[in-house]
Amino acid sequence: MEISIKVIVQDVFPGIEKLVSVAFSTFVAKPVGEEKIHLKPVTLLTEQDHVEHNLASERRKVRLHHEDTFKNLMKENRRFDDPICDEEEGMVPTSGTSVQSIELVLPPHANHHGNTFGGQIMAWMETVATISASRLCRAHPLLKSVDMFKFRGPSTVGDRLVFNAIVNNTFQTCVEVGVRVEAFDCQEWSKGQGRHINSAFLIYNAVDDKEELVTFPRIKPMSKDDLRRYHGAIVRKRIRLGRKYVISHKEEVPLCVHWDISNQVALSNASVEALNNLAARSGWEVTSAVEKIKIYTLEEHDILSVWVEKHVERPAHVTYHLLSDFTKRPLWDPHYVSCEVIDWVSEADQIYYITCPVVNGDKPKDLVVLVSRRRPLKDGDTYTVAMKSVILPSVPPSPQYIRSEIICAGFLIHATDSSSCTVSYFNQISASISPYFAGNLGGWSKSIEETAASCIQFIENATDDGLINRF
């Protein structure tokens, strides 16, 4: 059974309540004999009950596939260009974050069966993990989230519990600490052979005196085990990212950008500027690399953005003409069912009506999008194709579709030489389109890589007949 836990703090005087944390615990009922206990289904009474029930099913799917996903991503991750090969000033050896603690299980730490309280073990694990994280920064680390607490076996009164914590990897403003717990009774202690009873991965932030997030120094693995944990942390971060967005249930924020011919220039320029600002942000982290394709992600204040970089054997101006004509996009992008021009505003700006396929059994989605194109002012500069959703009174929402939103997306095309270019696709993911990306980010889908490969094939195989004249 899955049990959800919400912790709320209330300020007594003003009566203000604030959500502190949310957790999901999985329990099994222990049988008296050998047969498993089959639990009765939960009775769903409200619409919210049905939502939570469906999300619990999604979380269970993620848990069941976690081991296979992790193994596959670990194999894939080892093929990346290893960033730790580049020595950086200020790198901290992994061994410098190692912490060990020993606790004796006493009667107050155990239940009436003599088994140690799970919460007590979790508290001890957090303590040792916090000390490990604190060795990387001159600030007190704050627990941001827990990837998982896995209970592998019991411990009882009289056991010595040995806690080993070490920093596995750092990601800009957060750090992952791994904790392993072994239990020893008196006989096992004398032999030096313990029982591995718990593992956990905890994620920390730290803030400075100005309440701003601290950037952690990079970790330098010193052994094969360090390197395995280093890569494992990268894989777990990717799985966390996908899991977060596949099981989240966010209400779509209503569209607020109204289209009017009088604000055409302002909207078009703002869309192009937003795309360039997104591309210029720091903190992008590679999550996948396959042949000509690299995928990066950036998460800022719970806003997720994706950058797909592709190397194309075709001149930049030809690639620009092909990608800026969105009527051709359904030919290579399976996320687009149809795409038609509903207003040819100018040579640089067009408004498209787009329909998307069904995902997760929901209604199909549709969008009304302003596409703004910019040629470079001089050779060697970047071609730009920016996208942003707008409200158009002549195309109201339809009951057949879920009207969705593109906040900021588009292509930046830069010439590598006279016959090839680099295409960078950016998308600041809104709640409505996150289901199309979540599985890929989590590692149990290859839809982004497949779409990128299809895009490359489309561009490289397109004929030049009438292509340039149309523009």
Side-chain angles (χ1 to χ4, degrees):
M1 70 183 83
E2 180 192 274
I3 297 175
S4 64
I5 305 157
K6 293 184 179 180
V7 182
I8 298 173
V9 64
Q10 183 185 58
D11 192 328
V12 177
F13 295 104
I16 298 174
E17 292 186 346
K18 184 172 71 172
L19 182 64
V20 176
S21 63
V22 177
F24 301 95
S25 295
T26 305
F27 286 78
V28 293
K30 187 176 180 180
V32 177
E34 295 183 356
E35 292 186 6
K36 292 183 178 180
I37 295 176
H38 295 277
L39 303 173
K40 295 180 180 179
V42 175
T43 302
L44 307 177
L45 301 177
T46 66
E47 183 178 348
Q48 186 61 29
D49 289 345
H50 284 275
V51 170
E52 295 295 341
H53 186 269
N54 291 336
L55 291 176
S57 298
E58 293 300 318
R59 282 188 288 270
R60 184 170 186 270
K61 290 178 185 176
V62 172
R63 286 196 301 272
L64 291 176
H65 291 94
H66 180 272
E67 292 298 329
D68 289 339
T69 302
F70 182 82
K71 290 177 182 177
N72 291 335
L73 289 180
M74 280 294 281
K75 292 179 182 177
E76 179 182 309
N77 192 62
R78 291 192 182 101
R79 297 199 298 266
F80 287 3
D81 293 334
D82 198 344
I84 61 174
C85 293
D86 301 326
E87 291 290 334
E88 286 186 10
E89 186 178 350
M91 291 183 75
V92 177
T94 309
S95 56
T97 67
S98 178
V99 178
Q100 185 179 86
S101 176
I102 301 175
E103 300 286 348
L104 177 64
V105 180
L106 300 174
H109 301 143
N111 60 24
H112 59 286
H113 294 295
N115 294 323
T116 315
F117 288 122
Q120 179 63 68
I121 296 176
M122 293 165 73
W124 282 331
M125 293 173 81
E126 184 192 351
T127 299
V128 71
T130 302
I131 297 170
S132 177
S134 68
R135 293 188 168 183
L136 281 180
C137 61
R138 296 181 180 179
H140 183 69
L142 305 172
L143 182 62
K144 177 186 178 183
S145 62
V146 177
D147 186 287
M148 66 175 69
F149 272 106
K150 191 167 185 179
F151 291 83
R152 304 170 62 95
S155 62
T156 58
V157 172
D159 280 347
R160 293 177 179 88
L161 304 186
V162 178
F163 298 81
N164 286 293
I166 194 167
V167 169
N168 293 328
N169 209 336
T170 57
F171 306 97
Q172 301 289 329
T173 58
C174 67
V175 56
E176 181 193 281
V177 181
V179 184
R180 176 186 173 98
V181 186
E182 292 183 321
F184 298 79
D185 60 23
C186 291
Q187 189 175 4
E188 290 166 337
W189 185 263
S190 63
K191 294 180 180 179
Q193 297 175 346
R195 290 165 279 128
H196 180 195
I197 63 167
N198 289 90
S199 287
F201 302 99
L202 299 91
I203 317 302
Y204 286 87
N205 291 133
V207 294
D208 57 20
D209 296 337
K210 298 179 181 179
E211 296 296 315
E212 295 179 352
L213 289 174
V214 172
T215 299
F216 287 94
R218 292 184 64 193
I219 279 292
K220 181 180 180 181
M222 304 300 292
S223 67
K224 287 186 177 180
D225 276 346
D226 290 347
L227 193 60
R228 174 183 55 80
R229 288 191 294 264
Y230 180 95
H231 287 297
I234 295 173
V235 169
R236 278 186 293 273
K237 184 178 187 296
R238 180 173 174 182
I239 294 175
R240 281 196 300 273
L241 199 61
R243 181 177 61 198
K244 175 180 178 179
Y245 288 92
V246 79
I247 63 181
S248 64
H249 182 69
K250 297 180 181 178
E251 295 295 330
E252 183 67 27
V253 178
L255 295 169
C256 57
V257 180
H258 292 262
W259 169 258
D260 188 278
I261 194 66
S262 63
N263 64 357
Q264 169 198 341
V265 175
L267 281 178
S268 179
N269 289 339
S271 180
V272 172
E273 183 180 359
L275 177 61
N276 286 313
N277 288 339
L278 178 60
R281 287 178 189 168
S282 60
W284 289 98
E285 294 175 344
V286 62
T287 61
S288 176
V290 181
E291 296 181 355
K292 298 180 178 181
I293 303 163
K294 280 189 178 180
I295 299 174
Y296 303 80
T297 57
L298 174 67
E299 194 172 18
E300 298 177 312
H301 311 294
D302 279 342
I303 298 174
L304 177 67
S305 301
V306 172
W307 166 18
V308 185
E309 183 182 79
K310 298 165 282 193
H311 181 72
V312 180
E313 298 294 337
R314 205 74 191 273
H317 70 280
V318 174
T319 301
Y320 165 73
H321 291 319
L322 289 167
L323 293 181
S324 61
D325 181 2
F326 271 54
T327 60
K328 292 184 170 67
R329 188 149 176 178
L331 297 176
W332 58 266
D333 191 343
H335 302 101
Y336 280 49
V337 173
S338 66
C339 190
E340 58 179 294
V341 179
I342 54 177
D343 191 348
W344 189 277
V345 181
S346 68
E347 188 66 28
D349 299 304
Q350 294 85 43
I351 298 177
Y352 290 84
Y353 176 68
I354 301 167
T355 61
C356 304
V358 173
V359 63
N360 292 343
D362 211 339
K363 290 182 180 179
K365 303 177 187 296
D366 67 348
L367 308 107
V368 177
V369 175
L370 169 67
V371 176
S372 301
R373 307 180 301 177
R374 298 287 189 275
R375 291 184 176 88
L377 297 177
K378 59 183 181 179
D379 291 341
D381 285 354
T382 301
Y383 292 86
T384 303
V385 182
M387 305 166 56
K388 183 176 181 62
S389 288
V390 293
I391 296 174
L392 202 62
S394 60
V395 189
S398 165
Q400 297 177 337
Y401 294 92
I402 298 174
R403 178 58 52 88
S404 301
E405 179 179 15
I406 290 178
I407 302 171
C408 173
F411 300 95
L412 297 179
I413 305 163
H414 185 78
T416 306
D417 52 41
S418 60
S419 61
S420 65
C421 63
T422 299
V423 177
S424 293
Y425 172 73
F426 295 88
N427 196 319
Q428 183 177 316
I429 298 177
S430 64
S432 59
I433 64 174
S434 63
Y436 294 105
F437 289 86
N440 186 281
L441 297 175
W444 51 88
S445 167
K446 293 290 184 183
S447 61
I448 299 179
E449 287 95 338
E450 290 167 356
T451 301
S454 178
C455 178
I456 293 171
Q457 185 178 16
F458 166 75
I459 295 170
E460 293 181 347
N461 293 342
T463 60
D464 293 334
D465 297 342
L467 180 63
I468 307 303
N469 293 333
R470 180 173 179 181
F471 294 88

